[in-house]
Amino acid sequence: MSRPASVHDLVQSHRITAVIYAAAKLNLAEAIGDEPKSAAELAELVSADEDALRRLLVGLTTLGLCRQVDADRFAMTDLGRQLDETADPSFKDWVLFEGEMLAQTWTGLVESVRTGKTATQLRGDGDDRYAATGQATEWTRRFNAAMVSLTRTIVPKIVAGHDFSAARVVMDVGAGTGELIGGVLLNNPHLQGIAFDLARCEEDARAHFDRLGIAHRCSFIGGSFFEAIPNGADTILMKSIIHNWKDDRCKIILRKCWDALPSSGTLIIIERIMPEPVTTEPEDRSCVLSDLNMLRGPGGRERTEAEYRALAMSAGFDLAERTSIGSFSLIKFRKADD
């Protein structure tokens, strides 16, 4: 079990977020590229003050994102290259989302803890953050891009964690711009796919399927999973969907999945699993911080395996198995007959 830092060190963590965000916003990883560059060269490339930029580069060096080659030249480390939008993996879009959207939202955590209400509810904008931001195109674009960067890193683990050979049609419920279903279909040429999400995601999803060369095998259907989920798939995927919602809303989504699946159909939920009990280990901390993000943001929560099992069983599913895929788990359920 790792030893926690002092409170003085812990409370300054927001400064690290700000430093990494600044690097991403300035496109420093792209500007440095594969060859070390001086602060003067970089200042010209990213339109920054030379002295102030050098101080930022020194800060990035202490975080392991840059390395100081000599007195005034800096290079990106392998870790720092993840800030390059062309890197694999790249977390640049997530860093921008964290720095521009989430960091500001977290400043109201005290009010959420006191009231149990999300930021959206406290503003009086209703209960559904996604509906409230439905017309906020910049928020939606940032959110979708951040989700893509995260999903892209775990698609290989999802493909390895479940044998899709017996499936015929797989539907990703809450598919966003189609990163997950696209990856599943690329690795399983026999499959047909359906991406199901709000209509505002359709244009980007279809463009993504065209780029992957799977448009003939994957359709997009617009709609709300609170109203109805289309039929036609024998396997439903849901990644990072259930954790967004309170139990009563989750039961509605899961029952809509049950209605859409044929007899003995498969439901795969991909979520973090809340540990019991929690420790100071980094994976536990990451899960708990995500849980607090759900409290402040959409209003859901991270759950234990038993809690996910209870929710799914209440909607008519039986647990098949759980497979760990890094910081997430792949939980498989079978549709039980009424």
Side-chain angles (χ1 to χ4, degrees):
M1 189 178 298
S2 59
R3 183 178 178 179
S6 72
V7 170
H8 177 264
D9 290 335
L10 288 172
V11 81
Q12 297 183 66
S13 299
H14 66 98
R15 301 182 187 187
I16 295 175
T17 301
V19 166
I20 298 172
Y21 169 74
K25 192 68 174 177
L26 288 168
N27 301 316
L28 270 179
E30 291 90 344
I32 292 176
D34 296 327
E35 298 294 330
K37 291 183 175 63
S38 69
E41 290 177 281
L42 290 170
E44 181 72 23
L45 288 170
V46 304
S47 301
D49 177 83
E50 180 183 341
D51 180 64
L53 181 61
R54 188 181 189 283
R55 292 162 73 176
L56 178 66
L57 289 163
V58 170
L60 291 164
T61 299
T62 68
L63 297 177
L65 300 177
C66 285
R67 59 185 177 87
Q68 198 163 353
V69 177
D70 52 38
D72 196 48
R73 289 192 306 150
F74 296 84
M76 298 305 293
T77 64
D78 288 342
L79 184 64
R81 288 190 183 94
Q82 294 179 8
L83 294 176
D84 187 327
E85 63 183 2
T86 65
D88 183 19
S90 171
F91 288 102
K92 182 174 184 176
D93 283 316
W94 186 275
V95 169
L96 295 175
F97 179 61
E98 189 85 38
E100 294 176 7
M101 311 292 181
L102 294 186
Q104 297 175 32
T105 297
W106 272 68
T107 60
L109 182 60
V110 171
E111 288 79 6
S112 288
V113 171
R114 281 179 170 157
T115 64
K117 294 181 178 180
T118 67
T120 302
Q121 291 170 328
L122 287 166
R123 287 196 307 268
D125 293 335
D127 293 337
D128 187 343
R129 179 184 72 174
Y130 299 99
T133 57
Q135 302 305 314
T137 54
E138 178 59 19
W139 188 95
T140 301
R141 190 188 71 77
R142 275 274 180 257
F143 175 80
N144 284 339
M147 293 304 109
V148 165
S149 69
L150 180 59
T151 300
R152 187 172 291 158
T153 64
I154 67 170
V155 164
K157 297 175 183 177
I158 292 171
V159 171
H162 179 74
D163 182 2
F164 288 93
S165 60
R168 182 180 59 85
V169 181
V170 175
M171 176 164 49
D172 185 1
V173 171
T177 56
E179 189 68 29
L180 174 54
I181 191 67
V184 170
L185 264 60
L186 277 181
N187 285 275
N188 293 276
H190 71 287
L191 285 178
Q192 296 289 316
I194 301 170
F196 178 70
D197 209 323
L198 298 174
R200 67 181 182 226
C201 298
E202 181 171 2
E203 182 178 352
D204 288 341
R206 290 190 182 279
H208 181 59
F209 300 151
D210 283 336
R211 287 192 298 272
L212 295 180
I214 60 169
H216 63 294
R217 290 197 288 132
C218 196
S219 60
F220 184 96
I221 300 177
S224 167
F225 45 52
F226 291 116
E227 296 173 4
I229 292 174
N231 297 324
D234 52 72
T235 302
I236 286 179
L237 301 176
M238 284 197 296
K239 178 196 162 290
S240 300
I241 301 297
I242 297 300
H243 80 152
N244 286 323
W245 307 98
K246 294 182 179 179
D247 286 1
D248 58 340
R249 304 277 269 171
C250 291
K251 290 175 182 178
I252 294 172
I253 299 169
L254 292 167
R255 188 62 192 188
K256 298 300 182 184
C257 290
W258 192 96
D259 291 339
L261 284 169
S263 180
S264 299
T266 300
L267 170 66
I268 300 173
I269 295 175
I270 301 150
E271 296 281 3
R272 300 174 188 267
I273 299 296
M274 182 68 81
E276 296 182 290
V278 297
T279 72
T280 58
E281 292 301 318
E283 281 198 1
D284 287 11
R285 187 181 309 124
S286 177
C287 187
V288 170
L289 290 176
S290 180
D291 179 61
L292 290 171
N293 190 50
M294 295 301 102
L295 167 65
R296 183 63 185 158
R301 66 191 310 126
E302 302 299 348
R303 295 175 171 90
T304 65
E305 180 181 335
E307 288 171 328
Y308 277 116
R309 183 166 58 246
L311 279 175
M313 289 179 65
S314 73
F317 289 97
D318 291 331
L319 177 66
E321 62 180 306
R322 169 190 166 189
T323 304
S324 177
I325 50 171
S327 59
F328 286 79
S329 285
L330 192 153
I331 319 169
K332 291 178 258 189
F333 297 93
R334 296 289 183 191
K335 178 176 177 177
D337 294 330
D338 267 344

